């Protein structure tokens, strides 16, 4: 899987296109492309833009970039970066982290070749993710999002161990639009003659409580906590 994340980006880069890469656990609230194409933006001159991972630790220093959502302008610097990442499979295998290897190369290429890297500040409202979801006590963003006071471009359910919980958290947030009968099913199991959009896609989100101690669109006070002893997020 980590190798696939490298190859797909490198091939598009060599074809000469700007690109937006995202993991499958990202939902869009509005189109982020105009943000990166804004010619009058003070951050327009950068080569790469990354969501802030939130983990400002030594492992991801100095950028703390999240490799699950980023935009790259096509130029010599970014093409060389992605080609270098393709050749850095030993680092990915050794660290067991596509993100850690990419950040190491960002550091190297910004220093040696003038690569311009912008990490979008986690304290702003535009590109939130799992750090905000799982550390909501450290930031008002999730409460403002649930109340509708802000409308980010995207939300990335990072910092979550498995896809089962990712789905549950998206359901709590009102960001899940897939019928439960289609979850975990192959195309043949759903029915090859079916129109997938009609069979599996919902017009209105499935909002469902799972854990009282995680952010939710509706109060989930009566649900069990995912972390033992934790009180309701709505208290």
């Amino acid at each position: 899987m980590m190798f696939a994340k490298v190859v797909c980006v490198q091939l598009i880069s060599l074809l000469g296109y700007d690109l937006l890469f995202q993991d499958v656990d990202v939902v869009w609230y509005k189109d982020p492309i105009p943000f990166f194409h804004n010619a009058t933006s003070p951050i327009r001159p950068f080569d790469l833009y990354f969501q802030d991972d939130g983990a400002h630790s030594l492992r991801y220093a100095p950028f703390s970039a999240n490799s699950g959502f980023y935009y790259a302008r096509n130029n010599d610097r970014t093409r060389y970066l992605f080609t270098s990442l393709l050749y850095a499979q030993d680092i990915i295998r050794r660290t067991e982290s596509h993100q850690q290897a990419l950040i190491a190369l960002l550091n190297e290429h910004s220093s040696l070749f003038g690569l311009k890297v912008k990490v979008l500040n986690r304290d702003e409202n535009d590109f939130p993710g799992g750090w905000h979801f799982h550390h909501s006590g450290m930031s008002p963003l999730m409460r403002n999002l649930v109340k509708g006071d802000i409308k980010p471009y995207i939300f990335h359910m990072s910092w979550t161990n498995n896809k089962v919980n990712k789905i549950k958290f998206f359901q709590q947030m009102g960001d899940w639009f897939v019928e439960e009968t289609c979850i975990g099913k192959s195309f043949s199991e759903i029915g090859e003659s079916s129109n997938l959009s009609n069979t599996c896609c919902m017009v209105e989100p499935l909002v469902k409580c799972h854990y009282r101690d995680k952010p939710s669109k509706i109060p989930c006070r009566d649900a069990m906590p995912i972390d033992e002893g934790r009180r309701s997020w709505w208290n």
Side-chain angles (χ1 to χ4, degrees):
M1 179 61 72
M2 288 186 286
F3 184 66
K5 292 175 69 170
V6 174
V7 173
C8 67
V9 169
Q10 195 259 349
L11 289 175
I12 299 301
S13 176
L14 287 183
L15 288 172
Y17 294 103
D18 294 354
L19 63 93
L20 175 67
F21 176 87
Q22 66 169 56
D23 287 344
V24 296
D25 58 346
V26 174
V27 295
W28 288 22
Y29 297 130
K30 53 186 179 182
D31 184 358
I33 298 300
F35 176 90
F36 301 112
H37 286 184
N38 184 355
T40 63
S41 170
I43 63 172
R44 179 66 176 79
F46 286 90
D47 298 316
L48 288 140
Y49 306 80
F50 285 85
Q51 181 185 40
D52 191 333
D53 182 78
H56 295 173
S57 60
L58 181 61
R59 183 186 187 193
Y60 297 138
F63 289 108
S64 189
N66 189 299
S67 63
F69 184 88
Y70 61 88
Y71 183 87
R73 302 195 192 284
N74 191 272
N75 56 42
D76 290 342
R77 293 182 295 274
T78 55
R79 286 193 296 272
Y80 186 32
L81 171 74
F82 293 130
T83 300
S84 298
L85 184 60
L86 182 68
Y87 295 150
Q89 293 306 304
D90 56 330
I91 302 176
I92 295 176
R93 287 179 64 91
R94 181 65 180 87
T95 61
E96 298 183 344
S97 171
H98 166 266
Q99 182 165 301
Q100 187 171 349
L102 178 55
I103 290 174
L105 287 174
L106 291 177
N107 191 23
E108 178 181 299
H109 282 238
S110 63
S111 177
L112 295 179
F113 310 117
L115 183 73
K116 300 179 180 67
V117 181
K118 175 64 178 177
V119 177
L120 304 164
N121 195 329
R122 73 180 185 186
D123 295 327
E124 297 177 354
N125 296 328
D126 291 326
F127 297 93
W131 181 86
H132 301 88
F133 187 87
H134 295 290
H135 296 82
S136 58
M138 301 174 66
S139 168
L141 186 144
M142 292 306 301
R143 297 192 183 278
N144 292 335
L145 177 58
V146 166
K147 290 188 295 183
D149 292 341
I150 61 171
K151 187 177 183 180
Y153 286 98
I154 60 103
F155 186 86
H156 182 192
M157 194 60 77
S158 54
W159 284 59
T160 304
N161 288 333
N162 57 70
K163 65 181 181 181
V164 173
N165 278 337
K166 287 178 187 282
I167 292 173
K168 289 180 178 179
F169 295 154
F170 275 135
Q171 289 175 343
Q172 284 205 175
M173 289 299 298
D175 289 327
W176 188 255
F177 291 82
V178 180
E179 294 282 0
E180 291 190 284
T181 53
C182 295
I183 297 175
K185 300 291 183 61
S186 67
F187 182 50
S188 60
E189 289 174 321
I190 295 170
E192 295 186 9
S193 61
S194 300
N195 183 318
L196 287 181
S197 60
N198 291 337
T199 303
C200 296
C201 297
M202 304 171 65
V203 175
E204 297 295 328
L206 173 63
V207 183
K208 192 174 182 180
C209 285
H210 294 285
Y211 303 113
R212 72 185 185 208
D213 54 330
K214 293 299 180 181
S216 56
K217 195 75 172 179
I218 58 175
C220 294
R221 296 184 181 93
D222 296 330
M224 61 182 285
I226 191 171
D227 297 318
E228 187 175 354
R230 296 289 295 272
R231 67 180 186 177
S232 169
W233 184 77
W234 278 81
N235 286 347

